[in-house]
Amino acid sequence: MADSNAPDDRASLQRDVFVPMEIYKVVTVFSMLIAIGLVVGGFLVLDSATDQATAETEDVNVITALLGIGLIAFGGVVYVFSTRFRPEAMGNAKDDTNQGTDNG
């Protein structure tokens, strides 16, 4: 009987984008740098909008706060999108059938 929680291998393979190792390295490095920069920058903008979390509710700059939250969310989207890329030569550990089950 099939496990209902098991991921569909075809859907997983359709989601992945196979690229040469050199492109994978570039995408991984730069997407992580961009994602980290966006998230840190978003928190800095959010911090300035709330005056380091000391502003009263009516003193919060809503536009700037929303911009900060948007930057944080966009950083997460960049990271998630970058996880779609896989090098052609690298396998997927969950697809490896040579692993024993005695990892106890």
Side-chain angles (χ1 to χ4, degrees), residues 38 41-46 48-49 61-74:
L38 286 170
F43 276 110
L44 291 174
V45 170
L46 185 61
S48 72
N61 187 341
V62 176
I63 302 298
T64 308
L66 289 174
L67 176 66
I69 292 170
L71 287 172
I72 294 167
F74 189 62

Side-chain angles (χ1 to χ4, degrees), residues 31-63:
S31 63
M32 287 299 288
L33 287 174
I34 292 168
I36 290 169
L38 286 170
V39 170
V40 170
F43 276 110
L44 291 174
V45 170
L46 185 61
D47 191 43
S48 72
T50 61
D51 197 22
Q52 297 178 346
T54 59
E56 296 294 326
T57 306
E58 59 272 357
D59 295 334
V60 172
N61 187 341
V62 176
I63 302 298

Side-chain angles (χ1 to χ4, degrees), residues 96-104:
D96 190 11
T97 57
N98 294 334
Q99 294 180 359
T101 58
D102 58 342
N103 62 357

